[in-house]
Amino acid sequence: VAVETTTDTDGRFRFPYLRIGSYELRTRMPGFREDARALTLSAGSAFDLTLHLDVAGVDAAVTVVAEVPTLETARSQIAGTIPQAEIDRLPMNGRNFLDLALLVPGVSPTNTNSTQLFAETSGVPGQGLSVASQRNFSNSVIVDGLSANDDAAGLSGIPFGTDAIEEFQVVTGGGQAELGRALGGYVNVVTRSGTSTLRGTAYGFFRDDALNGTNALTGTKLPMDQQQFGASVGGPLVRNRTFYFANVEQRRLDQTGLVTITPDNVTAINNRLAQVGYQGQRVATGIYPNPVHSLTALGKIDHQLSGADQLSVRYAYYKVNSDNARGVGQLSAPSSSTSVDNVDQSVAVSNVLTLSSNTVNETRVQVARGDLQAYSTDLIGPQVTITGVATFGTFGSSPTRRQNTLFQAVDNISHRTGAHALRAGVDLLYNDDTITFLRSFRGAYTFSSLANFLTGNYSGYAQTFGNPVVSQTNPNVGLYGQDEWRAHPRLTFNFGLSYDLQFLKTITTDRKNISPRGGFAWTPFASRRMVVRGSYGLIYDRVPLRALANALREARLSVHDPVHEQARGGGVGRRVLEIAPAAVGGAGEGVDDLIPFDPEAFVDGLLHV
């Protein structure tokens, strides 16, 4: 792919929106020797190149064999980039593309102390990342210039196979005005494209419990088998004009976890449940299965409409299902877990149009659809917590379903004039989100001890009533303008203004969200072996939609239940668990089939057995 531009009278030039990869930069001027040098561009790179042309003589051209300087002296933001060659060679257990961010200084895994493999409403394994000590809900994942976030959870949305990633960058500080909607870091991913050469790969990664150590609690090796395999292919459809790339990857992880409820307590609990005719699942301890089966796919076509007009179309698919994915482990029995069944799809179209040697316009559009189901393993019994002993029954601590449709349109325009590189743009994003959160629709008991459970003396009871479904729309508007000013050959300033507005249902929105941004990159020595960077910014974070859905549901469903309001003489109550003989829908059925408890069904208890 060839791109041309013309310098101004002072010799300044700029190539915006280039695809990452290897280039040859050729400089021509009548009466001078042609200059050629090799360049390798990475994600988010900003290089400052000085060209020298010699008067033409006997030789017609001069080729400079040199690498691009390691330091990017024109970039004020702090970022780390992982190239595709490094991605290919890294040993990554599970090949989660977000793990690449941990290679960048200032990025660390979060410590949520959670037994959930899948967090919140996200179908991506893990609890997110902490960038520069910010919370894991305050990052933004951008793939090919478009959002790849689960705005309900505030975490990453649809994942991609690592073999489909060309480069991976994390902006940890000093984000310019064009980066909005996040207080923490920005994960910038560029997917791979085909080239003029037909190339393909096939790969497989296998792991068995024979290679594992023994578990510290059981003294044995927990059963585990992982098979991860895939293939990629890319090449030309029309040579030097149209290219394609495709990747498919499947992971089949059959692993196990461990519940540490003591066998004596399991026996005592199950005996009492049998005496009262408990219809839910019995309590179990020890090893439990926790399989994770996933499939990712990506297809991409790049087409050069002309030397000044480039078009790209991308389709991404992700499916994952897992049993016992949330809420199980330690003192939580398998019956208190949930499964996860998730499908995400997205279609994205982008166009880069060179209007003149000084002006380039970029337009990107995407539609994404996600459907996650996470119903409880036990849909019959209430949730029961015996402090310090065991938890079992219907899980009610996270949403049971999330359906979201996302529409996004982005337009950016870049213009060079003298020592200034101007850039402005608009980002319109719309979420149509529905969250189903059943919570304690089957009731939730708390017992302060095993003895109180066996005698039916509970210390707390909660139950959810009403419609558990919250539907909300979430328009987002982002505007920005910025100026990169080359004040001196060794000093670059970045100034800009950003405006991000998130419309939240039934909440009064503060519309004064103007964010000034500023930064500089200074090379103090002529050798250019040292760069000093500094930045300032006022940033507005976005609110995860799940938090808002919780608030709306609490305001709508809050009730006073006098049946279970009782004086606690000596802190002891006299109500216990008994299951109303109502039919309950399966995990894949609708909410209408999940029949809640009748509070009157609880008046007879263990004390009367």
Side-chain angles (χ1 to χ4, degrees), residues 448-469:
S448 60
S449 66
L450 179 61
N452 283 337
F453 169 79
L454 297 177
T455 57
N457 298 325
Y458 63 88
S459 56
Y461 175 82
Q463 186 175 356
T464 304
F465 299 89
N467 184 2
V469 181

Side-chain angles (χ1 to χ4, degrees), residues 510-590:
D510 182 3
R511 300 171 186 258
K512 302 176 182 180
N513 295 352
I514 298 178
S515 307
R517 308 284 180 92
F520 69 88
W522 175 44
T523 308
F525 307 113
S527 64
R528 301 200 172 194
R529 298 179 61 182
M530 181 181 188
V531 181
V532 179
R533 312 183 199 274
S535 62
Y536 164 83
L538 177 64
I539 302 171
Y540 288 87
D541 209 355
R542 67 189 187 278
V543 176
L545 300 183
R546 184 229 160 146
L548 177 58
N550 288 351
L552 294 174
R553 187 179 297 104
E554 289 290 344
R556 188 179 66 193
L557 303 183
S558 180
V559 297
H560 175 71
D561 182 13
V563 175
H564 293 89
E565 287 287 334
Q566 52 186 306
R568 304 291 185 183
V572 177
R574 298 296 183 184
R575 296 289 185 269
V576 296
L577 54 104
E578 182 179 6
I579 309 305
V584 178
E589 298 180 27

Side-chain angles (χ1 to χ4, degrees), residues 492-506:
T492 300
F493 289 102
N494 280 291
F495 302 105
L497 286 176
S498 178
Y499 182 80
D500 290 302
L501 185 61
Q502 181 184 24
F503 294 92
L504 299 173
K505 184 175 181 180
T506 73

Side-chain angles (χ1 to χ4, degrees), residues 249-542:
E249 180 172 305
Q250 187 170 26
R251 181 190 187 198
R252 300 188 65 83
L253 171 61
D254 294 315
Q255 63 182 355
T256 51
L258 188 65
V259 173
T260 56
I261 305 172
T262 64
D264 291 343
N265 289 341
V266 169
T267 301
I269 294 171
N270 286 337
N271 287 342
R272 202 54 170 164
L273 293 177
Q275 289 177 356
V276 298
Y278 180 71
Q279 299 176 19
Q281 295 185 22
R282 295 297 186 261
V283 177
T285 190
I287 296 173
Y288 66 90
N290 178 214
V292 180
H293 297 165
S294 65
L295 174 68
T296 60
L298 179 135
K300 187 177 181 181
I301 293 179
D302 297 284
H303 178 65
Q304 192 168 7
L305 297 171
S306 66
D309 196 356
Q310 300 179 38
L311 179 70
S312 178
V313 180
R314 168 174 56 80
Y315 170 75
Y317 176 86
Y318 172 64
K319 178 177 175 60
V320 62
N321 56 73
S322 175
D323 296 331
N324 296 321
R326 294 175 175 167
V328 60
Q330 301 174 21
L331 294 179
S332 296
S335 66
S336 69
S337 72
T338 76
S339 61
V340 164
D341 189 355
N342 176 80
V343 175
D344 288 307
Q345 301 180 77
S346 68
V347 176
V349 180
S350 65
N351 177 255
V352 177
L353 176 63
T354 302
L355 301 175
S356 70
S357 59
N358 295 324
T359 307
V360 178
N361 188 79
E362 171 199 29
T363 303
R364 301 182 187 273
V365 178
Q366 79 163 333
V367 178
R369 172 70 176 172
D371 188 353
L372 179 142
Q373 299 184 53
Y375 286 98
S376 178
T377 301
D378 184 350
L379 288 169
I380 297 179
Q383 185 176 39
V384 178
T385 299
I386 308 173
T387 304
V389 177
T391 296
F392 61 92
T394 302
F395 184 80
S397 299
S398 66
T400 49
R401 192 167 190 182
R402 181 266 294 140
Q403 297 167 288
N404 186 73
T405 302
L406 178 146
F407 305 93
Q408 186 181 17
V410 178
D411 190 81
N412 300 302
I413 188 165
S414 298
H415 178 72
R416 176 179 60 84
T417 175
H420 297 268
L422 306 176
R423 182 172 164 89
V426 57
D427 184 351
L428 304 176
L429 188 147
Y430 180 88
N431 285 294
D432 186 355
D433 191 70
T434 299
I435 297 177
T436 303
F437 193 1
L438 300 179
R439 299 191 299 170
S440 302
F441 83 112
R442 303 298 289 174
Y445 284 90
T446 300
F447 295 88
S448 60
S449 66
L450 179 61
N452 283 337
F453 169 79
L454 297 177
T455 57
N457 298 325
Y458 63 88
S459 56
Y461 175 82
Q463 186 175 356
T464 304
F465 299 89
N467 184 2
V469 181
V470 172
S471 297
Q472 53 186 320
T473 56
N474 173 230
N476 293 258
V477 177
L479 303 169
Y480 78 92
Q482 66 186 36
D483 177 18
E484 181 182 302
W485 175 34
R486 191 72 170 173
H488 184 272
R490 297 205 301 266
L491 179 62
T492 300
F493 289 102
N494 280 291
F495 302 105
L497 286 176
S498 178
Y499 182 80
D500 290 302
L501 185 61
Q502 181 184 24
F503 294 92
L504 299 173
K505 184 175 181 180
T506 73
I507 292 180
T508 301
T509 302
D510 182 3
R511 300 171 186 258
K512 302 176 182 180
N513 295 352
I514 298 178
S515 307
R517 308 284 180 92
F520 69 88
W522 175 44
T523 308
F525 307 113
S527 64
R528 301 200 172 194
R529 298 179 61 182
M530 181 181 188
V531 181
V532 179
R533 312 183 199 274
S535 62
Y536 164 83
L538 177 64
I539 302 171
Y540 288 87
D541 209 355
R542 67 189 187 278

